[in-house]
Amino acid sequence: NKFADQMTDEIRKSFTLYAMDLTAKEITRAALKQNGLEIVLSQNEEEEDFWGDVDSVQLLEEYTNRPIGKPYESMEAALDEWTPGQPFNFVVRQVPAKIRQLSLDELMDSMDPDGKLREQAKEKNIALPTEEIVTLKQLAADCSRRAESTPKE
């Protein structure tokens, strides 16, 4: 590639650092999502990449995922030894995060992970909230409506 051949070391390092930083940020997003959290960044923080303090970067062998050498103090320190696509472990601190709001589908999936309850409801022609109601706000309004319209004895 002509462009890659003409890049200075400084530009190549910038692209490589960007790739490593983006990889770490996306891995952090996935880990937070698994734990019911999400990154909360202002527009300026997103643009400036102030998403967390990364340290203890450990490069790994590509196919075995065995550690290579000692951990680096930062991504910048590991940059000369890392190639895009190579796995690495890292520690990130000070990530601005909040509890993630679940969608109605995610809530239903967490309450019925194997789908058995949904199958039973369909067999009995019972409408599920995800079929008629799209948001949790609509679900709350529907629950209130049902509670108020139920005959009281």
Side-chain angles (χ1 to χ4, degrees):
N1 184 329
K2 263 186 175 179
F3 179 72
D5 293 339
Q6 294 175 355
M7 271 197 291
T8 64
D9 283 342
E10 185 177 333
I11 292 173
R12 185 174 283 116
K13 281 185 179 185
S14 293
F15 277 125
T16 306
L17 180 60
Y18 176 78
M20 191 176 214
D21 183 70
L22 184 63
T23 301
K25 186 192 301 184
E26 291 308 310
I27 291 168
T28 301
R29 283 185 199 275
L32 289 171
K33 185 176 181 179
Q34 262 185 333
N35 289 289
L37 300 168
E38 65 185 350
I39 292 178
V40 180
L41 297 174
S42 70
Q43 184 68 25
N44 288 342
E45 290 170 327
E46 187 76 43
E47 291 171 3
E48 298 294 325
D49 278 335
F50 294 130
W51 62 272
D53 297 331
V54 177
D55 62 42
S56 300
V57 177
Q58 177 69 65
L59 301 180
L60 305 173
E61 289 181 4
E62 195 164 342
Y63 298 105
T64 63
N65 284 339
R66 290 186 187 152
I68 299 172
K70 293 184 178 184
Y72 295 90
E73 291 181 18
S74 66
M75 286 192 286
E76 290 85 357
L79 205 56
D80 290 334
E81 302 301 320
W82 183 74
T83 55
Q86 178 184 6
F88 63 96
N89 292 331
F90 61 95
V91 174
V92 62
R93 294 179 175 82
Q94 304 297 326
V95 178
K98 70 174 186 173
I99 294 176
R100 195 170 67 83
Q101 294 182 355
L102 296 176
S103 71
L104 194 51
D105 286 329
E106 290 171 322
L107 183 61
M108 293 294 288
D109 288 343
S110 70
M111 293 180 354
D112 183 26
D114 58 3
K116 288 181 181 177
L117 294 175
R118 284 176 265 205
E119 287 175 20
Q120 291 174 1
K122 285 184 182 183
E123 287 172 7
K124 295 178 181 181
N125 291 325
I126 297 173
L128 296 172
T130 54
E131 294 171 353
E132 297 175 359
I133 298 172
V134 180
T135 66
L136 292 176
K137 188 174 182 179
Q138 289 174 334
L139 179 61
D142 185 59
C143 287
S144 294
R145 181 190 55 78
R146 290 175 190 241
E148 293 169 5
S149 66
T150 304
K152 297 179 182 177
E153 296 177 24

